[in-house]
Amino acid sequence: MIETILSDRVVQSAPSTTVGIADKVKRLREAGHEVYDFSAGRAFEHTPRYVIDAATKAMEAGDTHQTMGQGTLDYRKACARKLARENGIDADPESEIVATMGCKQGLVISLLTLLNPGDEVIVEDPCFVSYKQTIDYLGGNYVAVPLLESNDFRWKGKQLESVITDKTRAVILCTPQNPTGVVHTKEDLEEIAKVAIKHNLTVITDEPYERMTWDARRHVNLATLPGMAERTITLMSLTKSFSMGGWRIGFAHASPRKIEQMTKLQQHLITCASSFVQAGAITAFGEPPKDEVLDYWKQWEEKVAHFTTSLDKIEGLKCYTPEGGFYGWMDISKLGISSEQFCERLLEEKQVALIPGSSFGKQGENYVRVTCVKSWDEINAGLKGIREFVKDL
Ligand code: GLU
């Protein structure tokens, strides 16, 4: 028998909990089991009709060929219109935008552009489950800086600056934050900007939830702060806001020098983002969101508030209502059970799927993440299951 030699880095890495648990739910459903799924961040609603129509029309008109590696100019112009209209960012579509297959793929080319082997990247702890793994795959080292509950899940004082070394190249910042739901204020961002400027760092802002801020909160883009346009890579996508997760489409905005390198990477790694997907996405980014999309967001705000406040009322649980995005971050420390055991047993015993907080980082150990934007029936069934499970523990 031939012994295949594989990459240690890949073999030793853990699978993604978000995608992995959602895959497990799919397998269970295929086998005929009823499962209530609040695992990966996927909303109940489908992509709005007008976006599907635009993509279909493009496909039927022959837009089935590869585009420029950077993405079509029309798509990049639509992204630039969105940035000007909603974010106060003045972007040149020729040189400052590249089409990506969602924020995750945007992160890969951002890190590839910035890192030499052994360079350090600072991440929030807890943070999205794939950051650390991606940095590791690319030969970088991650440095996790705690987001403490006692600091409202924000970096305070010298926390960020104290971990900087001569190897630090970048910071990854997610706002609205996954999993805590924090929407970084202008003051939070000013503190981070100060450190980035002082130590010559690039900040990659992962912003797939930026159109979803609740209770009249406003999303602020780090790139709009003085001195930050040059040192920010802004990642956006339609995965969450337009329920377009399966389309895999987004973009990165950065300085021309960085976009030139990122485009080179797209040419080699994926050739380009899908052609008709870009055509559909033009309507979603290029024009203000239509009523049906605004209605999604309104419903999501209601669901997020209802689900998290109902969970918070369960004896033994404390659940934070997110300031933005669609995750409840639930403190289970009073239950005397690990977040992994909690999620495994809840799925086994009550068929309710959540994500263990430990997969988001050390600070996540006493928490679990709940995706709140499912159908009302699923939400109610999930609440019932969690209530009964906690009562019987
Ligand atoms: N980003 C989403 C989440 O946090 C979707 C799953 C994934 O792509 O990892 O659940």
Side-chain angles (χ1 to χ4, degrees):
M1 204 170 70
I2 300 169
E3 198 205 335
T4 313
I5 297 171
L6 303 172
S7 151
D8 292 339
R9 206 176 259 159
V10 178
V11 170
Q12 284 159 15
S13 66
S16 153
T17 47
T18 50
V19 180
I21 294 176
D23 288 356
K24 184 170 176 184
V25 169
K26 280 211 159 85
R27 277 195 297 276
L28 286 167
R29 284 179 175 166
E30 275 163 16
H33 300 281
E34 183 152 32
V35 186
Y36 310 107
D37 184 17
F38 310 101
S39 60
R42 301 169 187 169
F44 165 69
E45 288 78 7
H46 297 307
T47 300
R49 187 74 243 172
Y50 70 94
V51 181
I52 295 177
D53 287 346
T56 312
K57 210 167 132 201
M59 216 187 311
E60 277 166 359
D63 192 357
T64 58
H65 306 280
Q66 291 168 344
T67 72
M68 290 170 74
Q70 197 183 344
T72 67
L73 184 56
D74 282 347
Y75 175 64
R76 285 179 275 129
K77 280 183 177 166
C79 299
R81 285 201 296 282
K82 186 254 180 273
L83 288 172
R85 189 180 64 236
E86 296 177 17
N87 306 98
I89 294 176
D90 178 22
D92 174 13
E94 299 270 3
S95 64
E96 294 180 337
I97 290 173
V98 60
T100 64
M101 296 181 77
C103 289
K104 267 169 115 166
Q105 201 264 329
L107 180 69
V108 173
I109 57 169
S110 303
L111 290 170
L112 272 168
T113 295
L114 298 174
L115 300 187
N116 285 311
D119 282 348
E120 290 171 6
V121 182
I122 298 173
V123 297
E124 299 166 302
D125 178 3
C127 67
F128 174 50
V129 299
S130 295
Y131 292 165
K132 292 184 214 158
Q133 210 52 72
T134 307
I135 295 165
D136 189 49
Y137 287 152
L138 300 180
N141 292 319
Y142 68 83
V143 178
V145 181
L147 298 174
L148 302 174
E149 193 167 343
S150 52
N151 286 342
D152 298 328
F153 301 111
R154 288 168 159 86
W155 286 332
K156 293 274 162 128
K158 296 269 171 220
Q159 257 193 302
L160 174 60
E161 195 159 20
S162 66
V163 299
I164 291 173
T165 70
D166 56 1
K167 286 270 177 205
T168 312
R169 291 292 161 265
V171 179
I172 305 177
L173 194 74
C174 183
T175 182
Q177 216 259 356
N178 176 8
T180 62
V182 162
V183 173
H184 289 289
T185 61
K186 188 154 181 261
E187 291 69 39
D188 296 336
L189 297 176
E190 278 167 352
E191 288 304 311
I192 294 163
K194 233 190 266 170
V195 177
I197 291 168
K198 183 169 165 198
H199 296 276
N200 192 22
L201 307 177
T202 299
V203 186
I204 303 169
T205 59
D206 187 15
E207 308 183 17
Y209 308 93
E210 50 97 36
R211 282 161 140 176
M212 292 169 269
T213 52
W214 313 132
D215 219 2
R217 283 187 185 80
R218 210 170 59 83
H219 173 77
V220 183
N221 291 85
L222 186 73
T224 60
L225 267 49
M228 287 310 292
E230 272 296 303
R231 40 180 87 257
T232 305
I233 300 180
T234 305
L235 302 177
M236 291 191 178
S237 86
L238 292 167
T239 297
K240 313 291 175 185
S241 53
F242 272 65
S243 265
M244 287 174 65
W247 297 55
R248 310 313 298 129
I249 186 71
F251 67 88
H253 168 253
S255 64
R257 175 86 180 113
K258 293 191 198 77
I259 292 296
E260 193 187 337
Q261 309 310 313
M262 291 162 86
T263 299
K264 209 190 309 175
L265 290 165
Q266 293 303 60
Q267 293 170 353
H268 284 299
L269 298 177
I270 63 161
T271 305
C272 61
S274 307
S275 55
F276 47 87
V277 165
Q278 291 182 58
I282 287 173
T283 57
F285 276 139
E287 305 160 19
K290 299 202 172 160
D291 286 350
E292 55 203 284
V293 184
L294 296 177
D295 190 49
Y296 285 4
W297 301 347
K298 202 167 139 262
Q299 286 186 47
W300 294 349
E301 180 161 13
E302 276 169 37
K303 286 178 177 176
V304 157
H306 173 79
F307 205 161
T308 54
T309 49
S310 306
L311 287 168
D312 194 54
K313 284 185 191 136
I314 298 173
E315 175 92 43
L317 299 180
K318 176 170 163 194
C319 190
Y320 287 91
T321 300
E323 298 171 348
F326 41 50
Y327 305 119
W329 189 234
M330 190 158 79
D331 183 340
I332 59 159
S333 57
K334 287 211 180 114
L335 302 179
I337 179 172
S338 75
S339 63
E340 226 168 287
Q341 280 174 328
F342 181 96
C343 292
E344 263 173 38
R345 283 187 51 190
L346 184 67
L347 183 56
E348 179 74 28
E349 294 170 30
K350 299 289 172 190
Q351 296 73 50
V352 176
L354 308 181
I355 305 288
S358 55
S359 56
F360 298 89
K362 272 205 195 93
Q363 299 298 323
E365 177 43 52
N366 286 323
Y367 298 83
V368 293
R369 195 193 75 175
V370 188
T371 295
C372 300
V373 287
K374 300 296 171 163
S375 71
W376 282 111
D377 283 350
E378 195 166 11
I379 291 172
N380 290 329
L383 269 171
K384 184 169 174 282
I386 297 170
R387 219 175 264 128
E388 288 171 2
F389 176 74
V390 172
K391 194 163 160 260
D392 293 347
L393 266 179

